[in-house]
Amino acid sequence: MTTKLRREDILAAVEDAGHRLTGSRRAIFELLEGMEGGFSAEEINLALGGVGRATVYRTLRLLIKEGLLCKLFSDEGSPKYTVAKFGHHHHTICVSCGKVGEFRDSSVERLLKAVSADIEGTIVGHNLELYVNCSECIS
Ligand SMILES: [Zn+2]
Ligand SMILES: [Zn+2]
Ligand SMILES: [Zn+2]
């Protein structure tokens, strides 16, 4: 059920959206693609050295906007970024090894819809992370 997008497909999608595929955009994407736990912006900055912090942040924002990257808010300080594998989804983050998983569950969406009746204003989005011990860390 997980259809992992191929890098070329993803990069083509960025181009289709009207963005130029600069070397630094490619480099950031390729770096994130190989990481199971994600990178913080600062780590990306260090790993790529010379790209420049402003470029890193701008590229991250762009890739998130295009739905190609996810921003994770674990409680370990700075947000981490990972490559998105499919549309709207939520995350599991292993508290032991940091591995990030994705899942979709329609009952979660229904629950959030039900909650909206008790919330003032209109919900425009949500972000759900489950902290787990992954199967590799348990065994
Ligand atoms: Zn994701
Ligand atoms: Zn783990
Ligand atoms: Zn959701």
Side-chain angles (χ1 to χ4, degrees):
M1 110 189 179
T2 307
T3 41
K4 187 166 195 235
L5 289 169
R6 297 221 341 258
R7 175 195 301 159
E8 291 311 316
D9 296 340
I10 293 169
L11 294 174
V14 176
E15 276 186 324
D16 287 348
H19 305 294
R20 245 166 19 93
L21 266 181
T22 57
S24 49
R25 283 177 186 167
R26 250 174 205 280
I28 289 173
F29 197 80
E30 283 168 17
L31 188 66
L32 284 162
E33 199 182 33
M35 285 291 298
E36 288 205 316
F39 268 116
S40 70
E42 197 51 43
E43 285 165 333
I44 292 167
N45 205 19
L46 286 173
L48 293 181
V51 168
R53 191 170 306 222
T55 305
V56 168
Y57 278 99
R58 211 177 322 119
T59 304
L60 290 173
R61 268 203 304 276
L62 169 79
L63 292 173
I64 290 167
K65 189 164 148 270
E66 298 303 328
L68 302 172
L69 283 192
C70 300
K71 192 177 186 180
L72 306 170
F73 302 87
S74 63
D75 46 17
E76 289 168 38
S78 43
K80 297 242 194 283
Y81 301 88
T82 58
V83 172
K85 295 186 186 66
F86 41 55
H88 179 77
H89 61 271
H90 304 116
H91 296 105
T92 56
I93 302 170
C94 177
V95 293
S96 305
C97 69
K99 184 175 171 179
V100 178
E102 298 188 347
F103 70 97
R104 285 202 267 204
D105 182 40
S106 54
S107 56
V108 169
E109 306 305 323
R110 277 200 300 276
L111 176 70
L112 290 168
K113 213 169 256 170
V115 165
S116 71
D118 299 326
I119 290 174
E120 241 180 89
T122 311
I123 298 173
V124 294
H126 62 262
N127 185 2
L128 179 64
E129 293 175 1
L130 302 182
Y131 304 114
V132 302
N133 277 308
C134 76
S135 47
E136 279 160 47
C137 288
I138 289 171
S139 59

